[in-house]
Every structure is written in structure tokens, then in C-alpha cells.
Amino acid sequence: MLHKVALIAIPGVAPFEFGTVCEVFGIDRTDHGGPEFDFTIVTAEPGPVRTSLGYDMMISAGLDQAADADLIAVPAHEIDADVHPEVVRLLQEASARGAWILSICSGAFTLAKSGLLSGRRATTHWMHADRLARDFPDIEVDPDVLFVEDGTIITGAGTASGIDACLHLIRLELGASAANVVARRMVVPPQRSGGQSQYIATPIPECRSDSFAEVTAWMLENLDQELTVDELARKALMSPRTFARRFKADTGATPGAWLNRQRLLRAQQLLEESTLALDGVAAESGFGTAAVMRHHFSKTLNTTPAAYRRAFTLRATA
């Protein structure tokens, strides 16, 4: 069960990525039904830790406070800096005992220098991906995704994708409802798929907020219906071709892929919170039949709806 979270403050740490982990795991949201975390910030040498912007943070807890953490997070920092040997030891021991380890942006270099990414698939900010692949040829670097989960190691891409990586882990460990509470309080989408592109090459149209906020809200309210591009285009007052092109530019996904992802999230929530039979979950979430739903679970989550429900029930019981 994900409960104790330790965030490592490394000299040269980037404040935004550091703050992302603090925002997700360091705020008490139990008054809104959110999960409760035992959150600690640690560093190899307690005292002032210089950030990438030149100011110091006073960190009082040493690495020993992270020895039994369920998750150790490594935020972005200066790539060329040496990794403190005690940080290496902490990460290696945590990995060996099966704890989660999550990096954001250039934090992947600390994991790589600690030997944790050898033979694994990983990502980092697209600007650093070539450097990571060149310096560590035994890592399969994917520069195009928001985050990668390989075993109990999650590597996030640049900046805001760290939020997606953190919410992904909460969803895995604590379920869709917990992730949704955190996301709602942070005013961010419950989760973007890890396979979504890090950046969107097409310029985002100025009217995207008005054009698609209403349409996507309507789509979410009608997931159990058969929604075609033609129908959605009429809702947005566009031609089908223009709608499909601008929807992808705005969201980073085709209308069909976006719908499937939202239906998958709805199905996960129903499997966690309801006693509906699989056919009922499939109908409510818009997949139509249990067989179609099972296909999407297998393709995206590498599991079946029944196995997902069993696993979540076991975690909740634990």
C-alpha cells in the first residue's frame, strides 16, 4: 500500500518538479475523501540545499528517514552533478525491497547513475533524451511519452508530466477515486495516458477552451452512448474533418482514443466502487459488451476487468 513517501532534495533541484511531488503527496486532502500520505523531504546532507534558481531550501531530514518509504521520488536537477553515494545506496536498497521509485524530468539521470535503469525502458524530458541514451546505452529511452512504468520504477518526462506520473501511481496503488480526488483539487485532468506524446507539434487554436470544453464535458456525460465523429462535429459546429484535426491538436489524442481512455477510466472506477456485473460495467462505461471491455483492458492495462477488480479489492482490504 502506498503511504509513506520520501522526496529527495538534490543540489541543483528544479523548484517546479520538486513542488509537483509536494503538491501531489504533501497536502492533506482527507476532508475531500482523498488519500493520506506520510510525506517527508530528505537530503543526503541536511541543511541548505541550493536550487537551480539560486535560492536555498532548508532541509532537516536525512536519508535515513526514507529507509522504509513506499515511494522515493527524485525530481529534476542539474544533469552533470555527481550523485551522492548515500543517495545511490538508498535507491538501490529501496529498489531491492520492492519500493516504488519515481523520477521526473532529469531525475532519470540519478536513477541511471545508480544503476536502476539498466536493461529497462525509461523516459526523460525530450531535450535530454538523446543525452540519456548516449550516456547509458543499456537503457531503452523513449523520448515521445509522458511517463514509463517498468516494474516498480516510473520515469516521467518534463515538467507537468510529473503530475501525470504521480497520479498514475496513485491510481495503480489506491484506485481511480483516490487519483480523481487529488486531480480535482489540483484542477488537472485525472490522468493523461503515459503513451501520449510529450508535446503537440500543431499550434493549439485560440478558441480551444470554448470549442472543446463543452464538447468533452458532454462526451463524459454520455460515455454510455455510441458517439461518432460526425455527431461530435455537429456539437462543435465543425465539419468532421476539421473537428478531428483540431480535437487532436487540442487534446493530443484522436476523438476515438480520447473516448476509449475516458471509458477505461469510468470502467476502472465502476469496478472499484460498484458491484455491477462485468456486462453492466461495460454498458455503463460505453464499451457495450464485456468482451470489448476486456480487449481494451488487456491492450492498455495488461490485465482483465475481473483481475483488476480482484486486485483492487485485495489492496483495499490490505
Side-chain angles (χ1 to χ4, degrees):
M1 179 69 73
L2 180 63
H3 178 64
K4 184 169 184 178
V5 178
L7 171 62
I8 303 179
I10 296 173
V13 63
F16 184 91
E17 287 80 355
F18 182 88
T20 290
V21 181
C22 294
E23 177 72 21
V24 174
F25 296 105
I27 294 179
D28 183 0
R29 298 182 175 91
T30 54
D31 57 334
H32 285 79
E36 181 179 8
F37 300 106
D38 177 3
F39 180 72
T40 307
I41 300 172
V42 301
T43 190
E45 299 178 1
V49 176
R50 180 59 55 95
T51 69
S52 62
L53 294 183
Y55 64 85
D56 291 346
M57 298 187 297
M58 292 299 299
I59 309 298
S60 59
L63 297 179
D64 59 301
Q65 297 299 306
D68 59 346
D70 303 308
L71 164 65
I72 297 178
V74 182
H77 56 79
E78 296 171 356
I79 291 176
D80 294 318
D82 293 332
V83 182
H84 196 288
E86 288 303 304
V87 171
V88 173
R89 182 182 63 81
L90 174 68
L91 292 174
Q92 290 178 343
E93 291 180 353
S95 180
R97 62 181 172 81
W100 284 101
I101 296 174
L102 182 148
S103 69
I104 300 176
C105 194
S106 57
F109 284 80
T110 288
L111 271 56
K113 292 174 183 178
S114 301
L116 300 187
L117 299 182
S118 179
R120 294 181 183 269
R121 182 168 166 261
T123 194
T124 185
H125 194 291
W126 59 267
M127 292 194 305
H128 306 314
D130 287 345
R131 169 78 180 273
L132 184 64
R134 184 174 65 252
D135 290 357
F136 303 94
D138 57 341
I139 300 173
E140 182 186 345
V141 179
D142 189 338
D144 297 323
V145 295
L146 295 178
F147 59 85
V148 170
E149 175 196 347
D150 191 320
T152 56
I153 295 179
I154 297 175
T155 48
T159 317
S161 64
I163 298 174
D164 300 294
C166 291
L167 290 176
H168 172 72
L169 178 56
I170 292 176
R171 183 177 296 279
L172 282 177
E173 283 287 301
L174 304 176
S177 295
N180 290 345
V181 170
V182 176
R184 187 162 56 248
R185 281 283 299 268
M186 293 178 66
V187 197
V188 297
Q191 186 182 14
R192 295 184 295 172
S193 171
Q196 183 171 319
S197 177
Q198 284 194 31
Y199 56 92
I200 303 169
T202 307
I204 296 175
E206 293 181 3
C207 61
R208 67 174 185 146
S209 295
D210 292 335
S211 297
F212 292 105
E214 293 184 9
V215 173
T216 53
W218 184 83
M219 291 164 74
L220 289 173
E221 292 173 359
N222 294 275
L223 288 178
D224 59 337
Q225 304 299 313
E226 183 178 351
L227 304 178
T228 66
V229 170
D230 286 350
E231 182 179 9
L232 298 173
R234 285 195 297 271
K235 272 282 183 184
L237 302 179
M238 299 178 190
S239 70
R241 178 177 296 182
T242 298
F243 174 82
R245 174 174 54 81
R246 290 177 61 176
F247 189 93
K248 186 172 183 180
D250 190 277
T251 67
T254 65
W258 192 91
L259 272 172
N260 283 336
R261 182 59 187 163
Q262 300 307 315
R263 284 169 170 155
L264 193 64
L265 293 174
R266 176 72 61 81
Q268 287 177 275
Q269 189 167 7
L270 290 171
L271 289 169
E272 295 169 16
E273 298 179 353
S274 76
T275 57
L276 283 173
L278 295 185
D279 283 330
V281 172
E284 288 286 330
S285 58
F287 285 121
T289 68
V292 173
M293 180 172 68
R294 186 162 54 248
H295 166 77
H296 286 282
F297 264 74
S298 177
K299 179 180 178 181
T300 305
L301 302 177
N302 198 32
T303 188
T304 66
Y308 180 88
R309 173 173 269 172
R310 285 195 301 270
F312 182 80
T313 302
L314 289 173
R315 288 199 298 269
T317 303

